[in-house]
Amino acid sequence: MAKGEVTASHALRTAANGMSSTAIQLRYLQSLTSAASDHTHTIVVPFPKDIMSSPSTLTQGRNERLNVPGNLNAFVSHLMVSDCILHKGQAESGSGGSLCDNFTDLDFHHCFMGTSLYVRLLLYTRANLHCGREVEHHNLTSQPLLKLSRPTAFVIHGYRPTGAPPIWVDHIVGLLLERADLNVIVVDWNRGAANLNYLTAVTNTRQAADNLTGFLLNMQEDGASLAAVHLIGVSLGAHLAGFVGANLKGKIGRITGLDPAGPMFTGATAEERLDPSDAMFVDVLHTDMNSFGLNGAHGHIDYYANGGWDQPGCPKTIFSGKSYFVCGHQRSVFLFLCALNRTCSLTGYPCASYSDFLDGKCLQCEAFKPASCPKLGYDVSPWKDTLLRLGQTKAYFSTTATLPYKKLSYRVDMITWNQYLRWGVVILKLQSGRAVTEARIDSKRLRFEQYTSTRLLAQFEDDLQPIQKISLRIVTGNVIGPRYKLRLLRIRLTPLDDPDRSMMCRYDIILEENIEVSFRPLPCDSRQ
């Protein structure tokens, strides 16, 4: 609830007994006028109809008129023009019958006209999971639900070209509170982010960061630890989080950047965007680097889903409408939500490039033992110390087009013994009962020759267990000449996602190019 409304309502209740209706209206306006002089707050209130019908004067008797102060007149007129008399940030009642403070809901009209920056901080805890409470920037103790002894996560949205609330806000709040007993504060800077002019929103990130920095300093003065603060920024919000971290000399505990915005930040220096020095630990997820996301590495660990470029399932042509522009950029949020929910386990493999990852060159995780390779999500404790020691790490993974996004990965090692040199791609199928899943290993053509060991990465859409049959085909593209035979001395499939699953092997297989051969997997010889 806006401070002006709180002040006016309190004064109205205090003075209501024994006063006439016009006197009550006057007291209401006087309280609002006093609050309006405090420029650190925006007043958004439901004015009585008779006041709104003539905002410049009030009638206190048959022949007596009272003037309303000019600054209030201007404010009222502004509200009337922008259709914001009834505050859209308040909705259904929460516990105790009080109104909830919801994310500011604007429309295209506001974006077209342009919005000025105004930052609201909406607090959620396990005690008010579905009913946000606005926290005053300079009076933290006024909100009893805010416990500074708890860790605090700030959720920061990005550019809002339509003014509508992000569809994922409630989901991320709920999942964070499911994972830990936190203060979750949604940083609502929709007034400032909702502008058709993207450059205005970019400029506003600095001012919003200064605003949030002041709030964090107030938290620190009241006993909160900056090391227990986690900023989660989406798109422009990722850079906003970085600016806050820079303002606080990197003392923030953690910043998570979900596809940091690229436009106006490409080629920017470390001081002009999110970078590892902005917090004690910075993790970044990239999903749309060739459009709205920022290319490069900007954290202690940078995850690149599907290489950080085009995402599976997203439209390929502009004729798909809005989804063509936002699908890949939004995928970062949905992948993070999936990881938070533990619906999917997305393991990132440290590698120099996505092509090297697909070629099976980066499937070892010795640097992180006894832990696995790093996993996207909330808990970074198994890998944090190692990642800080390594400096900056790039990690890659592939996903499916839909939930739960995870692909099942196997390391495939083959030893060939064929007489003639052949080039081709490999198609593997796993079968369990009537269910079949296929992996096409075709990132590049592979070289098969006499006594050559080849390591591949096979990624399957479905997790089938138990594996009863494996099918293999080597496609060379030869359609008119004689079909050459290829001999495999051994093929071994090692599951990468579950170390408790056994390796599968088969020995001495004869196959013809372009012809599928099927076999039952055998336990691997421990000596090989």
Side-chain angles (χ1 to χ4, degrees):
M1 184 179 292
K3 183 176 180 181
E5 185 176 352
V6 174
T7 304
S9 299
H10 177 73
L12 196 59
R13 288 195 300 269
T14 302
N17 293 332
M19 296 178 64
S20 66
S21 60
T22 51
I24 290 175
Q25 293 172 353
L26 176 61
R27 178 61 62 89
Y28 192 63
L29 278 176
Q30 288 172 335
S31 301
L32 285 172
T33 304
S34 175
S37 64
D38 181 359
H39 298 295
T40 62
H41 299 277
T42 297
I43 307 169
V44 183
V45 294
F47 282 88
K49 288 184 178 178
D50 51 350
I51 297 178
M52 292 310 302
S53 63
S54 180
S56 61
T57 60
L58 281 175
T59 302
Q60 190 184 18
R62 187 179 298 269
N63 300 312
E64 186 176 358
R65 299 172 69 82
L66 296 176
N67 291 325
V68 178
N71 59 342
L72 185 57
N73 291 338
F75 180 67
V76 171
S77 299
H78 168 72
L79 290 179
M80 294 175 68
V81 171
S82 61
D83 294 328
C84 291
I85 298 304
L86 296 179
H87 195 286
K88 291 185 178 181
Q90 295 179 336
E92 71 280 356
S93 295
S95 58
S98 57
L99 290 174
C100 301
D101 296 308
N102 289 344
F103 192 96
T104 304
D105 188 359
L106 305 176
D107 55 33
F108 184 77
H109 166 74
H110 298 92
C111 300
F112 183 79
M113 297 301 294
T115 59
S116 298
L117 180 67
Y118 176 58
V119 179
R120 301 171 67 228
L121 302 176
L122 308 180
L123 171 67
Y124 296 84
T125 69
R126 287 180 171 178
N128 64 313
L129 180 59
H130 303 293
C131 185
R133 298 293 191 215
E134 187 166 356
V135 182
E136 295 183 20
H137 287 63
H138 304 293
N139 187 11
L140 277 61
T141 57
S142 66
Q143 181 45 259
L145 291 172
L146 180 62
K147 305 295 184 184
L148 298 183
S149 58
R150 290 191 295 234
T152 302
F154 290 81
V155 179
I156 311 171
H157 64 87
Y159 178 49
R160 307 302 305 163
T162 67
I167 61 174
W168 45 263
V169 166
D170 291 341
H171 297 289
I172 198 170
V173 167
L175 291 173
L176 285 168
L177 289 171
E178 186 178 298
R179 293 299 297 264
D181 185 15
L182 307 168
N183 305 305
V184 178
I185 297 179
V186 174
V187 180
D188 174 4
W189 64 290
N190 205 18
R191 292 189 179 278
N195 283 281
L196 281 186
N197 188 343
Y198 174 74
L199 298 181
T200 301
V202 171
T203 301
N204 286 337
T205 58
R206 288 283 188 180
Q207 299 175 49
D210 292 342
N211 184 295
L212 187 54
T213 300
F215 181 78
L216 282 164
L217 288 173
N218 289 336
M219 285 182 62
Q220 186 181 38
E221 289 178 5
D222 287 352
S225 170
L226 294 181
V229 171
H230 182 188
L231 306 182
I232 302 170
V234 179
S235 188
L236 270 184
H239 297 301
L240 195 160
F243 299 150
V244 173
N247 288 343
L248 296 170
K249 311 301 182 185
K251 295 179 181 178
I252 292 293
R254 179 182 175 189
I255 294 176
T256 297
L258 301 180
D259 209 33
M264 300 304 297
F265 293 93
T266 300
T269 64
E271 292 74 22
E272 298 169 328
R273 56 163 172 78
L274 175 66
D275 85 286
S277 69
D278 292 332
M280 297 167 66
F281 184 76
V282 178
D283 54 321
V284 181
L285 172 61
H286 300 272
T287 57
D288 195 31
M289 295 190 302
N290 56 338
S291 185
F292 292 121
L294 182 62
N295 202 346
H298 310 288
H300 293 101
I301 181 168
D302 286 70
Y303 294 96
Y304 301 87
N306 305 293
W309 304 90
D310 296 326
Q311 300 301 308
C314 287
K316 301 295 185 183
T317 69
I318 197 172
F319 300 107
S320 302
K322 175 184 174 183
S323 181
Y324 172 76
F325 297 98
V326 302
C327 179
H329 200 39
Q330 286 184 339
R331 184 64 59 86
S332 63
V333 179
F334 298 135
L335 291 177
F336 188 70
L337 289 175
C338 186
L340 271 182
N341 197 29
R342 289 175 275 207
T343 306
C344 52
S345 178
L346 300 172
T347 301
Y349 292 89
C351 205
S353 68
Y354 188 51
S355 59
D356 282 353
F357 164 69
L358 293 178
D359 290 342
K361 297 179 180 178
C362 312
L363 306 180
Q364 305 297 325
C365 297
E366 279 78 7
F368 300 95
K369 286 186 175 180
S372 66
C373 278
K375 294 185 178 182
L376 177 72
Y378 181 77
D379 185 14
V380 296
S381 56
W383 312 281
K384 180 178 177 180
D385 290 342
T386 302
L387 290 169
L388 290 174
R389 187 176 68 250
L390 292 174
Q392 285 187 273
T393 298
K394 295 182 177 181
Y396 296 86
F397 60 86
S398 301
T399 73
T400 63
T402 58
L403 284 167
Y405 294 118
K406 177 182 176 179
K407 283 190 173 183
L408 188 69
S409 299
Y410 284 87
R411 185 177 70 236
V412 180
D413 294 288
M414 299 191 305
I415 300 178
T416 55
W417 186 273
N418 47 290
Q419 183 178 1
Y420 301 101
L421 171 66
R422 308 304 293 159
W423 294 85
V425 299
V426 174
I427 299 176
L428 269 175
K429 293 180 181 179
L430 305 181
Q431 184 171 336
S432 180
R434 294 185 177 181
V436 178
T437 184
E438 177 182 292
R440 186 179 180 92
I441 309 170
D442 59 356
S443 59
K444 69 176 184 180
R445 286 169 58 84
L446 303 168
R447 179 186 180 99
F448 300 100
E449 58 184 334
Q450 191 172 32
Y451 203 74
T452 299
S453 178
T454 304
R455 171 163 291 182
L456 311 171
L457 172 64
Q459 299 183 97
F460 298 90
E461 298 261 336
D462 302 305
D463 184 1
L464 304 182
Q465 288 295 320
I467 304 302
Q468 298 168 329
K469 186 169 73 173
I470 299 175
S471 300
L472 170 67
R473 180 157 52 112
I474 297 179
V475 180
T476 63
N478 177 22
V479 293
I480 57 174
R483 284 200 294 262
Y484 290 91
K485 293 185 182 302
L486 295 94
R487 181 181 180 185
L488 294 184
L489 295 183
R490 185 196 69 198
I491 180 171
R492 180 175 63 202
L493 280 71
T494 304
L496 297 177
D497 304 291
D498 188 349
D500 295 329
R501 291 186 182 179
S502 300
M503 294 185 294
M504 298 178 292
C505 287
R506 190 74 188 201
Y507 303 93
D508 208 5
I509 303 171
I510 303 296
L511 68 159
E512 291 184 353
E513 58 183 337
N514 305 315
I515 300 297
E516 183 175 282
V517 61
S518 298
F519 50 87
R520 292 188 178 276
L522 300 174
C524 295
D525 189 333
S526 59
R527 296 171 297 176
Q528 299 186 21

